[in-house]
Structures are given as C-alpha cells and as structure tokens.
Amino acid sequence: MPRPILATIDTEALAHNLRQVVQRLANDARGGPAPFVWAVMKARGYGHGLEAAVHGFAQADGLAMIDLDEAVRCRELGWTGPILLLEGFFQPADLAVLAQYRIATAIHCDEQLRMLAQGEVRAPLDAFVKLNSGMHRLGFQPDEYRAAFARAQALQAQGVLGTVGKMTHFARADDDPAVTRAQLDCFEQATQDLPGPVSVCNSAATLTPGFAAGVRVSEAQWVRPGICLYGASPFASQTAASFGLRPAMTLSAQLISAHTVPAGEAVGYGQTFRAPHAMRVGVVACGYADGYPRHAVSGTPISVAGVRTRLVGRVSMDMLAVDLDPVPQAGVGAEVVLWGQGGPSVDEVAASCGTIGYELLCAVAPRVPRREL
C-alpha cells in the first residue's frame, strides 16, 4: 500500500473560480466590453499540475506562464488559444519555439529587443512591452518606455512582431489602493496614445470592484488573475470564500499512530511542545518533505475525521503530530485534511505559518500523489 497522503485536484473548482472572476468582470463592466482573461499558470499551475489547469481553465481566453517548456506542454495537451510568457524569452533559440507554437512574449529589457532584431522569426510574435511603474522588478523605466515601444513597433513593421501591447505589474494591489492608483497613473501617462491591448490587473486588482473597469484602454484589456483561480485569496483581510471561490487543492493524509502523551512530556524534535495534561496525540503521514512547512507552529489549524484541531510540536521530514483531544474517537487510518475541502483553507494555514497560500500550494512535493477530479 502506498504511503497515505494525497493531493486531490478539483478541476470543476478551477472552472468555477474562473466563472466567478468572469462574472465579476462582466458586472463591473456595466454593459461595456468585459476584459479578456489570462489564466495564470506559473509553477505548473501553482502546484496543481498543468493537465488539471488546462482542463479547468478550458473557457479562459488565454493562458499565461513563465516556462517555455510548460507553454509547449499546454499546446501538446490541446490548448489552442493564446499563451503569454510573462518573463518573455531568454535566448535567441527560444524565438523559433515561440513562433512554432504561437506563443506570445513579454518584452521587458533592451536585450530582448536586440535578440528580436537580430534573430530570425518564421511568423510574427505577439508581444506586450512591459513598464516598470514602481514594482522595480521587470520592465522599462517610465522615461525609457516610449522609445522601447517605438522599437517594438519598428519590429512590428518588419514582420517580426504581430500585435504589440502594453503591460505592467502592481506591487500592492492587495493592501494599498493609493500605491496602486499611482502605479496605474504612471502606466497611463507613459503609454498615453500608444496603440495595442493593455494588461495590468493581477488577482487583487481583478477582484477589486470597479478597478478593471476604470483602466483606460483604446483596444482590448486583458486581466491576469492567478492565485484566486485556485481558490485562495490575494488579500490578507478577505477570505477566498467571501469572493465565492472554492479550493481546488485538498492536501489530505491519514493518522498512522495515536497514543497518550503524559502531562509534562514533550512531542517531537526540539521538544517545542509539552503536554499541559495527559492528552491524546496523533501522528500524520505528512511532513516538510511533502511540502508542509517546517516552520508551522503549534496551534496551526488542521482537521481530523472532520473535526478541527491543531498541530502540536515541530514538523518532521515525513510526519507531524496533532492534538486528538477534540476528536477522541480518531485512531489509525482516520482522515486528516491539511488544507482544502473539509479542512482549514490554505490561507489559514499560511497565515499561521507567517507566509502566503501561494507558497504552500507551489511547494507540495513531487513525491505526493495527485488525483484529478
């Protein structure tokens, strides 16, 4: 029998979350054209798997990701719509692959423009020229942007590029509307009167009422929701459920031991937790080698046999311990939900660990079996 741990991927939840986003955008559009949706699939669909994500996002307008091999794999899985590489390409040899598989690219630096000018492209590539509006990660500076866009237009005239759009990325759309507004103002000033589609909204901006509807566009607008499509929230103060989103990944395991720990005795490495009284403790077949965070603290929420309880002690490589006092009937073989359907949300677990749901979903290890619903 295999080790009793499983990541269950619910493709209908992925499809449901996409529909929720599309409906919110349609409502915000107030009768005007709603933005198109890039379903962001970085890190193999935020740890959910490319196959599941392609199935779940079948109704998306396009897919966006980082890795060229993953983009090619999406084509092999049957995706025929637009694909965008959010970091663009990295070497001249990539251009032939982009053309062969009809993959669009971000352009964020002079080196990419030079590679395009010097390379041979069999078919025009669609592109988005990226502005650094304040994130200070990728993109052309505001005073450089129009010159960079003009170079892209020249490549467009030569047949190297097809559609040329404009994009940026927000640093604090999840918690500071003023910073986001300033970034959008910077973007709109730098791109004023430049043609082409626009893409600025991440999950947080997409879910903020009226934000996408307030972006000035002369052509199409594309939003880029990511984490919300997987049923987690980009906001610390708002749950995914409050947006009508459903968790697409459930990480579950089983108890492989249940025993009584005497009062005052410690549990696990480092003896970081001591039983305040004689208490039942269960051992779960999940540890940090499976992707559960080692820095999770005692008290992190967990569910055993449908009852909410807590982690106790330090997480080991292959095991962790839980308080069974709230669920005295639980014994070996009882189902444990680390996060997802029937247990705490991934955002709750992440908050308890001082991190974000993105990290936990992406960190589930390859050794954990996955089942697609």
Side-chain angles (χ1 to χ4, degrees):
M1 177 179 175
R3 184 163 167 264
I5 184 171
L6 180 68
T8 302
I9 311 301
D10 185 348
T11 57
E12 173 51 33
L14 295 174
H16 165 84
N17 296 337
L18 175 62
R19 290 192 297 269
Q20 290 292 107
V21 168
V22 169
Q23 186 60 56
R24 292 179 71 88
L25 291 169
N27 292 342
D28 277 353
R30 304 182 188 93
F36 296 100
V37 176
W38 294 112
V40 178
M41 292 175 50
K42 297 185 295 182
R44 299 189 62 80
Y46 287 61
H48 292 64
L50 289 180
E51 293 80 359
V54 168
H55 295 160
F57 301 143
Q59 299 304 310
D61 299 298
L63 306 179
M65 59 203 67
I66 298 296
D67 188 87
L68 180 55
D69 287 344
E70 292 185 6
V72 171
R73 179 60 182 149
C74 288
R75 289 286 186 230
E76 293 171 345
L77 289 167
W79 178 261
T80 59
I83 296 177
L84 174 64
L85 289 182
L86 294 168
E87 291 180 358
F89 56 95
F90 304 104
Q91 55 187 6
D94 294 340
L95 297 176
V97 182
L98 267 62
Q100 179 182 355
Y101 289 94
R102 297 177 293 107
I103 298 168
T105 180
I107 300 173
H108 59 77
C109 62
D110 288 332
E111 288 77 7
Q112 289 175 325
L113 286 169
R114 283 199 293 269
M115 284 188 275
L116 283 164
Q118 297 168 3
E120 295 184 7
V121 178
R122 188 172 59 186
L125 303 174
D126 291 339
F128 282 80
V129 182
K130 188 164 191 176
L131 172 73
N132 171 22
S133 60
M135 180 80 169
H136 295 292
R137 200 170 60 175
L138 298 180
F140 294 95
Q141 299 302 317
D143 60 351
E144 304 169 337
Y145 187 82
R146 298 184 81 86
F149 196 88
R151 291 168 65 188
Q153 287 179 305
L155 292 168
Q156 185 182 38
Q158 297 166 22
V160 175
L161 295 180
T163 299
V164 177
K166 303 152 288 186
M167 70 186 303
T168 194
H169 193 64
F170 297 131
R172 299 189 64 176
D174 60 320
D175 71 347
D176 196 322
V179 170
T180 307
R181 183 69 247 179
Q183 283 195 254
L184 183 58
D185 289 344
C186 174
F187 175 83
E188 291 181 336
Q189 181 177 356
T191 64
Q192 186 175 8
D193 299 325
L194 296 179
V198 165
S199 181
V200 299
C201 291
N202 56 8
S203 281
T206 299
L207 293 177
T208 298
F211 192 91
V215 176
R216 290 200 296 268
V217 292
S218 58
E219 299 183 34
Q221 180 182 178
W222 287 77
V223 297
R224 307 190 305 270
I227 192 64
C228 65
L229 297 180
Y230 302 91
S233 176
F235 302 102
S237 60
Q238 295 173 270
T239 66
S242 70
F243 294 103
L245 305 173
R246 291 166 27 193
M249 177 193 289
T250 298
L251 182 62
S252 61
Q254 292 180 10
L255 292 183
I256 59 173
S257 173
H259 57 278
T260 298
V261 175
E265 290 294 303
V267 176
Y269 286 121
Q271 298 187 319
T272 60
F273 175 85
R274 291 189 179 275
H277 52 262
M279 62 181 293
R280 290 188 75 239
V281 169
V283 177
V284 182
C286 179
Y288 61 76
D290 300 298
Y292 196 88
R294 182 179 182 273
H295 56 279
V297 296
S298 293
T300 298
I302 197 166
S303 174
V304 177
V307 177
R308 193 178 178 97
T309 182
R310 59 175 178 151
L311 172 78
V312 293
R314 186 174 292 169
V315 176
S316 301
M317 178 182 287
D318 309 300
M319 293 172 279
L320 55 81
V322 293
D323 179 1
L324 292 183
D325 279 355
V327 52
Q329 76 279 11
V332 171
E335 183 181 36
V336 177
V337 176
L338 290 308
W339 63 69
Q341 291 284 357
S345 71
V346 70
D347 295 321
E348 289 181 273
V349 177
S352 182
C353 299
T355 185
I356 54 178
Y358 305 65
E359 181 180 7
L360 301 191
L361 295 173
C362 293
V364 174
R367 79 174 189 173
V368 176
R370 283 165 170 77
R371 180 182 66 189
E372 182 180 322
L373 297 180

